[in-house]
């Protein structure tokens, strides 16, 4: 059995991936148990695998090995600090977890402050470009002017401290709203592209990896019997799903 | 129900099926022709990598998992091909446990195809938890103190590609392939303070937000999703080779055209139905 698995490891992997893909995409037709089962399998696999990798590549070589094998006993204090997080589950001793959470929040806040000025200050500087000079062409100037118009119009939309009664402010804010909508549209377009690419990735696997594998496996009698059984099970599931009374969603 | 009402109420399952069919055709035909239009940011990314001296190490940082491998995987592959072809050594470092295995697999595959040797031409630093903690720990000042060994437990001092890398001075460029918002950490703690170029390879969803970073010079180039990797392959001279990126770029184009057609049909249905209702009301 073990030898058979080793010999067919590639085919088994491809088939498992294909069945999982079909199961996950079956939700596009309707919510079903096949999808739910594989959703839980995915979450379980990802969690288990993450735990294995975290132990194997982080905790063991960077903490356990140093502490136990290399005599660096002071690494034991890391376990004390780490275990403080778990006190959040105790009502009486929850204050212990707050100490370590506070430490991490302080670290995060300090990091955010540095990130803010390192990230946004250069961008503010880069936004304020001269409109003429420096060997700029007419198109460069036009580009910068368009940038300024959009920037000021978009910012004026966010003047919430006073009413937009003046015609100048009102119309500028309205133009800013339109510019913002165009920007969001561009972002949404990119989102569609991203989601579509993920779909393409799975389809590419089905078309170029799974289908050739299925074609070559079809010559085996056992395989044909297994596929027939699977198809029968699928038909029974579909018929049962169709016969089930429909639940009205509000 | 008239034709206009029907246009607005097409069963979503029929639409999914049609989208699937539109996508399958380019994937089956495997077109070799890559995009000929190269975005400015993709060209900048190529020029940045091209300018890295071969005695410096490139960090290929990844933060993605199986969910976005269709977008980030081709970016990693394109970057590895360029670095191998140019003869620049690189180290992969991954911040996601599942992504670590995916990047490792791509590295083994590409290095095998290009007859490159592990340890001499590239190093896999495996999974490390959280870029912020690793970078803030002083990676720029003492690289080997923060990341001591590779994925297989060999000390960096004993690996040919990394033995001379002591600090940020020996780092030529950082390439960040990500599906997460990790790029500010690199900019704030590593690239800007040490004046090291940064090439960004995000998923398409994140790309629109990166343009201010490109304008301010905080990023030195960008590959926008799988289209970016297809354009990058054109720059690598693979413009007529059938790859996943070329097929995906065609599939994306056909899918987008189809979605635009559906939007137009839906809008025609909406306005026509409104007009018909209005006509009856006033008639």
């Amino acid at each position: 059995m073990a030898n058979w698995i080793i010999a067919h490891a590639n085919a088994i992997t491809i088939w498992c991936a294909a069945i999982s893909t079909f199961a996950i995409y079956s939700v596009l037709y309707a919510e079903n148990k096949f999808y739910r089962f594989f959703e839980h399998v995915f979450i379980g696999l990802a969690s288990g695998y993450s735990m294995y990798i975290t132990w194997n590549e982080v905790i063991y070589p960077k903490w356990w090995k140093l502490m136990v094998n290399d005599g660096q006993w002071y690494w034991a204090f890391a376990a004390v600090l780490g275990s403080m997080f778990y006190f959040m589950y105790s009502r009486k001793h929850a204050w212990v977890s707050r100490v370590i959470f506070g430490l991490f929040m302080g670290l995060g806040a300090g990091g955010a402050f540095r990130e803010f000025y390192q990230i946004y200050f250069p961008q503010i500087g880069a936004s304020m470009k001269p409109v003429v000079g420096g060997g700029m062409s007419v198109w460069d100037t036009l580009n910068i002017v368009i940038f300024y118009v959009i920037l000021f119009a978009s910012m004026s939309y966010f003047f919430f401290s006073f009413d937009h009664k003046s015609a100048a402010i009102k119309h500028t804010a309205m133009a800013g709203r339109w510019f913002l909508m165009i920007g969001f549209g561009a972002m949404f377009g990119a989102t569609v592209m991203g989601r579509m690419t993920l779909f393409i990735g799975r389809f590419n696997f089905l078309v170029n990896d799974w289908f050739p594998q299925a074609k070559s496996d079809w010559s085996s009698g056992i395989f044909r019997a297994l596929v027939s059984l699977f198809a029968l099970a699928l038909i029974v599931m579909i018929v049962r799903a169709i016969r089930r009374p429909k639940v009205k969603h509000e | 129900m008239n034709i206009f009402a029907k246009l607005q109420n097409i069963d979503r399952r029929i639409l999914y099926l049609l989208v699937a069919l539109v996508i399958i055709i380019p994937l089956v035909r495997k077109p070799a022709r890559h995009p000929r239009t190269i975005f400015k940011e993709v060209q900048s990314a190529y020029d940045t990598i091209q300018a890295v001296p071969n005695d410096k190490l490139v960090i290929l940082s990844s933060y993605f998992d199986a969910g976005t491998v269709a977008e980030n995987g081709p970016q990693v592959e394109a970057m590895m091909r360029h670095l191998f072809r140019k003869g620049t050594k690189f180290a992969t470092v991954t911040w996601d446990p599942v992504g670590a295995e995916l990047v490792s697999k791509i590295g083994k595959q590409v290095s095998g195809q290009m007859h490159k040797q592990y340890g001499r031409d590239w190093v896999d630093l495996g999974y490390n938890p959280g870029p912020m903690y690793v970078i803030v720990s002083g990676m720029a000042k003492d690289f080997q103190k923060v990341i001591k060994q590779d994925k297989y437990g060999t000390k960096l001092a004993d690996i040919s590609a990394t033995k001379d890398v002591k600090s940020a001075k020996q780092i030529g460029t950082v390439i960040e392939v990500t599906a997460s918002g990790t790029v500010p950490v690199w900019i704030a703690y590593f690239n800007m303070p040490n004046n090291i170029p940064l090439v960004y390879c995000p998923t398409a969803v994140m790309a629109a937000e990166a343009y201010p970073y490109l304008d301010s010079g905080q990023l030195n180039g960008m590959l926008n999703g799988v289209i970016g990797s297809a354009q990058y392959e054109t720059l690598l001279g693979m413009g007529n080779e059938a790859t996943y990126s070329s097929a995906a770029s065609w599939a994306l184009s056909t899918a987008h055209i189809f979605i635009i057609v559906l939007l137009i049909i839906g809008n025609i249905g909406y306005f026509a139905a409104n007009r018909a209702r209005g006509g009856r009301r006033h008639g």
Side-chain angles (χ1 to χ4, degrees):
Chain A
M1 183 69 180
N3 287 340
W4 184 87
I5 291 172
I6 291 164
H8 295 87
N10 191 41
I12 293 168
T13 311
I14 288 174
W15 272 99
C16 285
I19 293 167
S20 305
T21 306
F22 284 125
I24 292 299
Y25 279 125
S26 71
V27 78
L28 294 177
Y29 183 78
E31 170 75 39
N32 60 78
K33 284 177 184 169
F34 191 45
Y35 163 76
R36 281 274 164 226
F37 173 74
F38 276 89
E39 190 189 26
H40 287 106
V41 167
F42 274 135
I43 294 166
L45 274 177
S47 310
Y49 188 74
S50 300
M51 278 173 72
Y52 162 76
I53 290 283
T54 306
W55 171 260
N56 218 33
E57 293 190 17
V58 182
I59 298 175
Y60 178 74
K62 290 173 184 171
W63 178 67
W64 184 262
K65 194 167 161 271
L66 298 178
M67 187 173 64
V68 176
N69 298 359
D70 301 348
Q72 295 176 18
W73 55 269
Y74 43 85
W75 277 104
F77 289 113
V80 175
L81 290 171
S83 59
M84 284 167 76
F85 282 107
Y86 294 97
F87 280 90
M88 67 186 278
Y89 297 111
S90 159
R91 233 177 243 179
K92 198 177 170 187
H93 302 292
W95 64 270
V96 180
S97 68
R98 280 184 213 124
V99 174
I100 194 78
F101 274 120
L103 195 75
F104 272 80
M105 280 168 76
L107 181 70
F113 182 74
R114 178 166 173 171
E115 275 176 33
F116 182 81
Y117 79 77
Q118 287 272 31
I119 297 296
Y120 294 111
F121 280 29
Q123 289 180 16
I124 293 166
S127 300
M128 301 296 130
K129 289 174 188 163
V131 281
V132 284
M136 280 198 301
S137 68
V138 178
W139 295 112
D140 290 335
T141 304
L142 187 67
N143 192 24
I144 293 166
V145 169
I146 291 171
F147 175 82
Y148 278 132
V149 169
I150 293 174
L151 179 73
F152 289 121
S154 303
M155 285 179 74
S156 68
Y157 176 73
F158 293 100
F159 290 155
F160 298 131
S161 306
F162 53 87
D163 286 338
H164 293 188
K165 282 178 184 166
S166 143
I169 294 282
K170 195 178 170 184
H171 290 114
T172 314
M174 182 55 81
R177 191 179 164 189
W178 275 94
F179 292 136
L180 286 168
M181 290 300 161
I182 293 167
F184 295 146
M187 286 165 93
F188 183 69
T191 308
V192 172
M193 181 168 119
R195 298 290 179 260
M196 210 51 90
T197 309
L198 307 183
F199 191 52
I200 289 167
R202 286 329 291 162
F203 258 75
N204 183 57
F205 162 77
L206 291 175
V207 170
N208 294 317
D209 294 317
W210 171 73
F211 190 67
Q213 180 67 42
K215 237 165 102 179
S216 76
D217 288 342
W218 192 246
S219 55
S220 153
I222 301 169
F223 175 77
R224 281 204 293 263
L226 275 172
V227 170
S228 306
L229 270 173
F230 182 72
L232 196 69
L234 202 68
I235 290 165
V236 170
M237 269 175 65
I238 291 168
V239 169
R240 283 184 66 180
I242 291 167
R243 280 186 177 176
R244 199 183 304 147
K246 279 184 182 176
V247 180
K248 275 190 177 178
H249 295 285
E250 286 187 7
Chain B
M1 191 184 280
N2 65 20
I3 182 81
F4 301 120
K6 275 182 186 170
L7 284 176
Q8 289 179 79
N9 293 298
I10 303 171
D11 192 324
R12 64 184 165 86
R13 286 170 288 204
I14 294 170
L15 296 180
Y16 291 150
L17 194 69
L18 290 171
V19 170
L21 283 173
V22 163
I23 284 172
I24 281 176
I25 297 161
L27 295 177
V28 172
R29 290 186 63 86
K30 293 181 192 166
R33 195 178 188 281
H34 281 61
R36 295 292 189 259
T37 308
I38 309 295
F39 294 158
K40 197 178 151 193
E41 55 270 22
V42 177
Q43 183 67 54
S44 304
Y46 180 85
D47 295 340
T48 304
I49 302 293
Q50 199 63 21
V52 177
N54 276 0
D55 60 339
K56 290 199 173 184
L57 184 86
V58 169
I59 295 177
L60 182 48
S61 155
S62 310
Y63 202 165
F64 65 91
D65 63 8
T68 60
V69 72
E71 283 196 279
N72 296 126
Q75 292 170 337
V76 170
E77 199 178 319
M79 285 297 168
M80 282 183 175
R81 282 190 192 285
H82 191 184
L83 293 164
F84 278 141
R85 190 176 289 184
K86 195 175 159 286
T88 306
K89 297 176 194 77
F90 67 90
T92 60
V93 56
T94 321
W95 313 106
D96 184 276
V98 179
E101 200 53 39
L102 296 167
V103 171
S104 193
K105 195 178 159 192
I106 297 169
K108 282 175 193 163
Q109 190 188 324
V110 178
S111 62
Q113 286 167 2
M114 299 184 77
H115 309 292
K116 296 291 175 179
Q117 197 184 321
Y118 181 81
R120 187 192 65 191
D121 302 304
W122 74 292
V123 178
D124 187 352
L125 300 179
Y127 165 61
N128 282 276
M132 185 172 169
Y133 303 113
V134 173
I135 298 164
V136 173
S137 302
M139 200 171 104
K141 280 184 184 165
D142 196 342
F143 190 83
Q144 294 190 21
K145 195 180 172 188
V146 177
I147 302 179
K148 295 183 175 74
Q149 56 188 28
D150 73 347
K151 185 184 168 77
Y152 309 103
T154 313
K155 283 185 178 169
L156 296 194
D158 299 333
I159 300 172
S160 153
T162 50
K163 66 177 175 9
D164 298 324
V165 181
K166 308 288 181 202
S167 68
K169 283 178 187 164
Q170 286 85 39
I171 305 293
T173 286
V174 174
I175 302 165
E176 170 76 337
V177 185
T178 184
S180 187
T182 48
V183 78
V185 177
W186 280 108
I187 292 171
Y189 296 104
F190 196 80
N191 292 75
M192 274 189 70
N194 299 294
N195 202 20
I196 295 170
L198 178 60
V199 172
Y200 188 44
C201 305
T203 53
V205 178
M206 298 155 63
E209 291 170 27
Y211 284 94
Y213 293 89
L214 285 161
D215 287 342
S216 62
Q218 290 165 306
L219 295 176
N220 299 76
M222 179 172 78
L223 269 64
N224 180 350
V226 79
I227 290 294
S229 59
Q231 292 179 359
Y232 207 83
E233 285 182 354
T234 307
L235 291 172
L236 291 174
M238 297 164 71
N240 291 314
E241 281 179 40
T243 63
Y244 165 72
S245 295
S246 65
S249 60
W250 277 92
L252 265 180
S253 302
T254 51
H256 283 190
I257 290 167
F258 182 68
I259 288 168
I260 290 167
V261 170
L262 287 177
L263 282 172
I264 292 168
I265 291 172
N267 275 283
I268 290 171
Y270 174 77
F271 285 113
N274 264 2
R275 204 169 174 178
R277 267 200 300 271
R280 271 199 299 275
R281 208 175 292 139
H282 296 296

